[in-house]
Amino acid sequence: MLPTLAIVGRPNVGKSTLFNALTQTREALVADAPGLTRDRKFGKVQFENSHYWLIDTGGLSSESEAILNLITQQVVLALQEADGILFLVDGREGLTVEDENIAQRLRPFNKQIILVINKTEGLSGELIAADFHRLGFETVHTISAAHRRGLAQLMETVLELFPEEKTEVDTTSLETVEEGIKVAIVGRPNVGKSTLVNRMLGYERVVVFDQPGTTRDSIAIPFERDGQRYTLIDTAGIRRRPRVFEVIEKFSVIKSLQAIELAHIVIVVLDAKEGMTDQDANLLGEVLNLGRGLVIAVNKWDGLSAAHREEVRYHLERKLHFIDFAEIHFISALHGSGVGNLFESIQTSWQAAQRQVNTSVLNEVLQKAVAACQPPLVKGRRVKLRYIHQGGHNPPVFVIHGNQVAALPDSYKRYLINTLRKELELEGTPIQLVFRQGENPFEGRKNELTLRQRKKRQRLMRHVKK
């Protein structure tokens, strides 16, 4: 097992900035506002051929708000999982009562604690550290996470504390970790995405609170089920652009859209009580544009009457006609009903998106489709589809070669997509068609033929004159 370090401290001391600096990524959302991080986020650190797991946590606070209590529970879980603790404090503000309270709360865990004094750029490290010696920690480091100062010395101390973990076996295992099927859970705020993630995992992994905007960052959680590896990605709720005012929410939306792009399969969560909204349709369109496998989960189904359920089914069938390939599940993430069936649809969509189809099989399907329904006439000439081959996967891309394919109407393209989906059993994933038009061998020779005709006419005229 690789050593695990947890970064803890009060809000707005730079924990996420230090996480990004040590992992050399921009995974953690960073802004000049307290309480931004709520769930714990895992990252990998490499230093001098040694590797570590790093956990970013939310800020510990003595206030008794419900959401803060949930954040504290996440921090406690991180401390239980960690081998060592990076206790981060703010050097510019100096030692506070909150810091002293946190230090007292950390000691019962009996973990190696490294006191890290952040935001010390332009200041005397020794003078700043003197104020924090009252906490009684032996190992103290002064750094500037934003300017990447003092990080090498900090990691050297970590190496000394965990020398036995520096092995080639661990390095190999870290680099070859299989992420499996990446599944992004997306939807509007407060539709139950985090509740669904916890239910699929089987334990309380992310913060769930009855308030829109609880999740602010995208959290990737690897796990295994029935021998198959998955990585669930919990995302922030996506609202319409005119309603997004805060800078933090704008960054959260960007991270959610990036999660869709990185995922193999996307589960779009709808609220059964509110039905499908315009924002839901826009979100589904974004998933289709990126070509991701799609599963639709209609949440909060248990709270509806029979009449209301029939009404919701009717409106969904009418509004979702453009994505008839996606499986729709009616679930209750809170009580778990229907959640287990999502994995079967994820597998179906994943297998369809990754499928490689033989060219001979594709051409046989194309010939049957053309024989059953001929392409239309264009300027008195029939569009000819000559052959087809696969051009990519995830999503499946098929390249069709022929004549006048640029004039092929959208209705016939949809007919070809539906035929390919039915014959090849490509359910749960969009299909993309690319058309290639063959070159006209007579194109550009019109003037040349006219010139020959002129010369022939001149010869005839000379013969007539004679």
Side-chain angles (χ1 to χ4, degrees):
M1 295 292 291
L2 295 174
T4 302
L5 302 174
I7 305 175
V8 299
R10 56 189 175 85
N12 212 31
V13 295
K15 296 183 296 298
S16 295
T17 303
L18 178 59
F19 178 88
N20 288 342
L22 293 178
T23 58
Q24 299 181 6
T25 65
R26 300 182 66 180
E27 290 293 328
L29 200 58
V30 176
D32 188 16
L36 183 60
T37 303
R38 292 177 174 175
D39 298 293
R40 62 194 196 277
K41 178 183 283 291
F42 289 77
K44 301 170 185 175
V45 181
Q46 179 179 354
F47 182 76
E48 295 185 358
N49 298 323
S50 293
H51 298 80
Y52 302 88
W53 288 110
L54 191 64
I55 310 177
D56 184 24
T57 64
L60 287 170
S61 176
S62 58
E63 298 180 11
S64 58
E65 295 182 19
I67 185 68
L68 295 178
N69 293 334
L70 294 174
I71 294 173
T72 301
Q73 292 176 13
Q74 289 286 315
V75 177
V76 171
L77 290 174
L79 292 172
Q80 293 173 348
E81 296 168 342
D83 300 301
I85 301 172
L86 300 181
F87 178 23
L88 199 64
V89 294
D90 190 330
R92 293 192 175 273
E93 293 187 6
L95 182 62
T96 65
V97 176
E98 201 76 46
D99 293 327
E100 294 178 347
N101 293 335
I102 294 174
Q104 293 299 324
R105 297 167 69 176
L106 294 179
R107 287 191 173 90
F109 287 92
N110 294 322
K111 302 291 177 70
Q112 180 68 47
I113 300 175
I114 303 175
L115 179 63
V116 183
I117 306 173
N118 192 26
K119 305 181 183 180
T120 61
E121 60 274 11
L123 302 175
S124 172
E126 294 181 357
L127 292 177
I128 295 175
D131 189 29
F132 289 91
H133 278 303
R134 284 189 295 166
L135 295 177
F137 296 114
E138 295 181 1
T139 310
V140 180
H141 280 273
T142 58
I143 68 165
S144 173
H147 297 85
R148 309 296 196 267
R149 295 178 181 173
L151 300 185
Q153 293 82 352
L154 173 61
M155 293 311 300
E156 287 174 359
T157 300
V158 172
L159 280 176
E160 295 176 0
L161 294 175
F162 303 98
E164 70 282 357
E165 299 294 342
K166 185 178 179 181
T167 63
E168 294 183 0
V169 176
D170 287 338
T171 301
T172 304
S173 64
L174 178 64
E175 294 175 350
T176 58
V177 169
E178 183 185 353
E179 294 179 328
I181 305 175
K182 297 179 182 177
V183 183
I185 315 293
V186 302
R188 293 181 292 110
N190 213 33
V191 295
K193 299 182 295 298
S194 296
T195 304
L196 177 59
V197 169
N198 288 339
R199 181 62 63 178
M200 294 176 72
L201 292 171
Y203 65 98
E204 298 294 323
R205 170 59 179 84
V206 292
V207 173
V208 176
F209 192 62
D210 189 16
Q211 173 183 321
T214 299
T215 303
R216 290 180 171 177
D217 205 351
S218 297
I219 307 297
I221 310 147
F223 75 107
E224 185 174 334
R225 176 187 169 96
D226 296 333
Q228 173 65 57
R229 290 185 178 273
Y230 299 89
T231 298
L232 283 185
I233 308 175
D234 186 21
T235 65
I238 302 176
R239 298 193 295 173
R240 288 189 300 166
R241 288 185 178 180
R243 296 187 178 183
V244 179
F245 302 105
E246 297 182 4
V247 175
I248 295 174
E249 186 175 358
K250 291 180 180 179
F251 281 115
S252 298
V253 171
I254 292 172
K255 298 280 278 188
S256 298
L257 296 177
Q258 289 175 345
I260 296 175
E261 190 171 358
L262 291 173
H264 299 127
I265 311 297
V266 177
I267 299 179
V268 177
V269 183
L270 309 180
D271 191 329
K273 296 180 180 179
E274 299 181 8
M276 184 172 169
T277 65
D278 292 339
Q279 178 59 13
D280 293 324
N282 293 334
L283 192 55
L284 288 168
E286 185 68 26
V287 175
L288 290 181
N289 290 336
L290 292 172
R292 296 297 172 257
L294 179 62
V295 178
I296 299 175
V298 184
N299 193 24
K300 307 179 183 180
W301 190 246
D302 55 323
L304 304 184
S305 62
H308 196 177
R309 289 183 178 183
E310 288 301 320
E311 182 181 356
V312 171
R313 288 181 186 273
Y314 169 76
H315 286 291
L316 285 178
E317 291 177 0
R318 183 172 60 87
K319 293 182 178 181
L320 295 177
H321 62 89
F322 65 100
I323 48 172
D324 54 354
F325 62 86
E327 191 72 29
I328 302 176
H329 293 267
F330 300 93
I331 67 169
S332 171
L334 183 62
H335 299 98
S337 58
V339 174
N341 298 329
L342 293 174
F343 289 98
E344 182 179 350
S345 294
I346 292 172
Q347 284 284 346
T348 301
S349 180
W350 164 255
Q351 293 171 2
Q354 300 294 326
R355 185 169 302 165
Q356 298 284 351
V357 186
N358 190 279
T359 302
S360 61
V361 175
L362 287 173
N363 281 279
E364 185 179 345
V365 172
L366 179 63
Q367 290 173 6
K368 289 182 179 179
V370 172
C373 181
Q374 287 282 336
L377 293 171
V378 178
K379 297 181 180 180
R381 297 176 57 196
R382 180 77 63 185
V383 176
K384 295 181 180 179
L385 305 179
R386 301 190 181 280
Y387 67 97
I388 180 175
H389 62 88
Q390 188 167 1
H393 57 87
N394 195 28
V397 179
F398 300 109
V399 183
I400 300 178
H401 297 258
N403 292 341
Q404 301 188 98
V405 291
L408 203 63
D410 292 337
S411 58
Y412 197 82
K413 293 178 181 178
R414 288 194 296 270
Y415 162 72
L416 291 176
I417 289 175
N418 292 334
T419 302
L420 289 168
R421 188 183 307 283
K422 180 180 179 181
E423 295 295 330
L424 302 177
E425 299 181 352
L426 299 177
E427 296 297 331
T429 179
I431 296 175
Q432 295 182 359
L433 295 183
V434 178
F435 292 90
R436 295 283 185 265
Q437 185 158 327
E439 296 183 0
N440 185 355
F442 298 100
E443 187 176 358
R445 297 182 61 183
K446 183 176 181 181
N447 293 335
E448 181 182 352
L449 294 174
T450 303
L451 182 60
R452 289 179 180 178
Q453 292 175 351
R454 288 178 180 177
K455 289 181 178 180
K456 184 177 181 180
R457 187 176 301 170
Q458 290 174 0
R459 288 195 300 268
L460 289 174
M461 292 297 292
R462 285 196 298 268
H463 180 71
V464 170
K465 289 180 181 180
K466 291 180 180 179

